[in-house]
Amino acid sequence: MAHNHRHAGKPRRQPQAVIIGMMGAGKTRLGKEMAQMRGLPFLDADVEIEREIGMSIPDYFAQYGEPAFREVERDVVCDILDSFGGIFSLGGGAPMTKAIRRRLAQYVARGGKVVYLKADPHEAMERANRGGGRPMLTGDAEKRWMSLFRQRDPVYRQVANLVVPTRGMTPKAAAKRMIEMVAEHTVHVDGRGIEPYDVRIGEGALSHLPEVLGKQPVRVALIHTQSVQRHSDRARGLLRQAGYEVSDIVIPDAEAGKTIEVANGIWQRLGTEGFTRSDAIVGIGGGACTDLAGFVAATWMRGIRYVNCPTSLLAMVDASTGGKTGINTPQGKNLVGSFYTPAGVLADLRTLTTLPNDIFIEGLGEVAKSGFIMDPQILRILEDHAAELRAFSGETFLGTPLEDVVSELIERTVRVKAHHVSADLREAGLREFLNYGHTFGHAIEQLEHFRWRHGNAVAVGMVYAAELSSLTGHLDRDTVDYTRSLLTSLGLPTSWNGAGFDEVLALMHRDKKARGNTLRFVGLEQVGEPFHLNDPDSEAGRGRPSTVCRTREWNRSGRCEVNIRPECKVGADHPYTLRPRYSGEQPTATNWRDNGNEVTADQGHGGQWAESGAARSASAGCVRFAGSRGAASTLHPVGGRIRP
Ligand SMILES: NC(=O)c1ccc[n+]([C@@H]2O[C@H](COP(=O)([O-])OP(=O)(O)OC[C@H]3O[C@@H](n4cnc5c(N)ncnc54)[C@H](O)[C@@H]3O)[C@@H](O)[C@H]2O)c1
Ligand SMILES: O=C(O)C(=O)C[C@@H](O)[C@H](O)[C@H](O)COP(=O)(O)O
């Protein structure tokens, strides 16, 4: 179990978990157990209230009545919620007070975990009655308990963000389960054309399988590779226990499994075994296996329920989320497939215990990509922990501080992915940014006949994309150098020379982003600012800067937006084109200033705004946009349009 020291290392000013539930549910016992296992302090609200009032709760009830007690309870609970960093258990009636409910809602909104401990009613009733001393159970205790349960259960459900049923569990097992659930992170994926689903990240996340599959499926095809047998055995056990008929389907490992032949073999099996539209598929494994399993789910009877259980870092952070499913063809990577949203994603950190070091490192390539395109904090975490990450060993990783680091990286990277796919499921614009480094990367994979791992190829592809961005005048050299040094520090490759550029170019023309004969890349203007780099100067594409006549410099501290080199001619014969950063987005700046001469630009239509008249008066030197920094940054100069 993770120590839950978050990367930022800030002291916690709120409980790690708040436990609620009926009298006798075991809140105090399990809360203490949890706290001990985690090395955290524990507080019981009732003990703190008794300390505050200086007498026992039954005596206070008898003397002052319930309303007075609830007021004291409210004050004590709210104080503790604001100042205590351990495990905190509340009295059974506390969530019935409106002010406490409000505070708990604020706590949940700040990332807090309110755990509803749901015990078997008979066991809880029996425990609550034992020894007396419960003012709320005076009279017919059992009847009273049931009546309180009917009132409180809906409120507990509303207040809690985690429900833990403890029936048939030993206290130790229940406490362990609670710890796992509290440490679990959930990223919600929603958006146009998406049936909402959750990505659950944590130790034991696989145990949500029956809940995500639901009651409808009778048969479940469990698709996996031999390499993850230990984890698929666990999944099969959970599925059988929940009453599903499980068909175990083992496919060839890695890219060898992402073929039409493998898909066809599974379709035949599903047909023979009578899989209907209400049945389901679970894919458990690396990204190749889950891409294939998702593809079969998307195509069988035009789509059946699919649960994605990633077991490699790369699959957890990337392949699991966003609904891209597919297979390779002899002509290229992922050329056949569909967008098919899973019912849920269960990223169980326990599966990483068998993951080899080199495959873990490969996954860091896609993690870094998400840092470059959107979340610089990911890059800081990678920098700070490069040595530990590089030395990753699955066998020893659970329960160490590295588990928290990895779990934070997974969550952040999945959030980056969710952001892009939520806005653009079918990859019409924004989602293409997730392809940063992939145009060149996919070509390497193909030319290497998939002996190169995807994440490694993407790492080299990112270096290429950064260089290209720099050569076309968009990215400063420091960021290119930083890209290389960060990837190297993580143990990722940054160069490749397995084929001539013409072969690479031919494959890049078959990339899914290409349109007709136009090559389309994702470039970078600075960390967190990707853009569409369409049809770049062919010399720059080959890594030669000679024909690029301007560099992009950032408008920080009064520097140029665009610097046109003195040796470049700019004029009617050499138009300088500006385009929106991606089609569909209307530029907002229509004026820009060239060496002090204001030039008015025309605003066009349909997102294909281009300006060349302004270039007639442009000359070497600094060209500064008159619009605000934000407005100007919605435009970018297209490489190769200005020639010496
Ligand atoms: N759908 C998407 O959005 C998306 C995103 C990124 C990548 N992908 C695809 O994912 C694939 C790359 O994913 P990958 O890096 O996971 O490769 P992979 O599936 O080939 O897995 C890498 C290797 O690790 C093994 N493995 C996986 N988990 C293991 C575990 N827990 N213990 C022991 N061995 C384990 C696999 O059997 C395989 O040999 C590529 O095909 C890529 O195109 C898809
Ligand atoms: O989800 C996306 O969109 C991506 O581009 C994520 C990529 O990291 C991933 O490798 C994906 O499989 C690439 O898809 P492709 O369509 O370029 O083959």
Side-chain angles (χ1 to χ4, degrees), residues 20 22 76-77 146 197 304 322 356 432 518 522 524 579:
I20 62 170
M22 285 296 288
V76 170
V77 167
M146 278 316 289
Y197 60 97
I304 63 172
E432 285 187 331
T518 304
V522 178
L524 205 63
R579 286 208 186 124

Side-chain angles (χ1 to χ4, degrees), residues 426-486:
R426 291 182 173 272
E427 208 172 20
L430 184 78
R431 183 174 181 160
E432 285 187 331
F433 292 156
L434 292 170
N435 233 249
Y436 183 57
H438 282 62
T439 324
F440 197 89
H442 278 167
I444 296 180
E445 284 186 84
Q446 187 76 11
L447 288 165
E448 290 287 350
H449 306 288
F450 301 110
R451 287 184 303 257
W452 260 59
R453 305 221 51 77
H454 178 71
N456 292 343
V458 169
V460 176
M462 283 192 283
V463 173
Y464 179 80
E467 285 285 5
L468 188 61
S469 306
S470 166
L471 290 169
T472 50
H474 296 85
L475 186 66
D476 58 84
R477 286 301 313 167
D478 286 355
T479 309
V480 182
D481 296 342
Y482 172 71
T483 303
R484 270 206 182 79
S485 71
L486 179 73

Side-chain angles (χ1 to χ4, degrees), residues 190-405:
D190 206 343
R192 228 177 60 191
I194 300 178
E195 271 207 40
Y197 60 97
D198 286 332
V199 180
R200 292 173 171 195
I201 305 153
E203 273 182 52
L206 212 50
S207 58
H208 294 293
L209 248 183
E211 178 195 321
V212 180
L213 278 167
K215 292 203 178 352
Q216 242 195 4
V218 172
R219 291 169 205 85
V220 175
L222 183 63
I223 301 179
H224 63 94
T225 55
Q226 200 67 54
S227 58
V228 299
Q229 188 73 45
R230 194 199 296 182
H231 314 301
S232 62
D233 283 351
R234 213 168 105 227
R236 194 173 42 253
L238 285 161
L239 291 170
R240 292 217 166 119
Q241 213 177 0
Y244 301 103
E245 286 172 29
V246 185
S247 298
D248 203 54
I249 301 181
V250 185
I251 61 166
D253 197 35
E255 299 300 317
K258 259 175 91 167
T259 66
I260 190 68
E261 290 76 21
V262 173
N264 188 34
I266 302 177
W267 290 324
Q268 289 185 17
R269 216 165 134 191
L270 299 181
T272 314
E273 294 181 13
F275 270 71
T276 67
R277 236 185 209 159
S278 56
D279 292 322
I281 289 183
V282 172
I284 177 163
C289 172
T290 56
D291 272 12
L292 179 278
F295 177 66
V296 172
T299 46
W300 182 250
M301 295 198 173
R302 300 199 183 87
I304 63 172
R305 200 165 181 79
Y306 175 55
V307 183
N308 190 318
C309 304
T311 61
S312 70
L313 177 64
L314 191 141
M316 288 183 185
V317 299
D318 195 352
S320 63
T321 307
K324 272 191 181 176
T325 72
I327 52 175
N328 307 322
T329 74
Q331 287 71 34
K333 272 280 287 188
N334 304 334
L335 289 183
V336 176
S338 71
F339 293 101
Y340 192 66
T341 295
V345 174
L346 304 175
D348 192 328
L349 298 180
R350 275 190 218 155
T351 62
L352 296 180
T353 52
T354 55
L355 192 70
N357 169 278
D358 59 332
I359 296 174
F360 176 83
I361 288 175
E362 170 209 4
L364 294 175
E366 293 282 15
V367 174
K369 174 200 77 182
S370 301
F372 282 115
I373 63 168
M374 185 175 155
D375 181 357
Q377 179 62 12
I378 289 179
L379 302 180
R380 284 191 278 275
I381 299 174
L382 290 174
E383 276 174 47
D384 290 353
H385 298 279
E388 301 109 273
L389 289 164
R390 198 176 169 163
F392 170 87
S393 157
E395 282 160 29
T396 54
F397 134 93
L398 288 185
T400 66
L402 187 65
E403 183 184 355
D404 286 341
V405 172

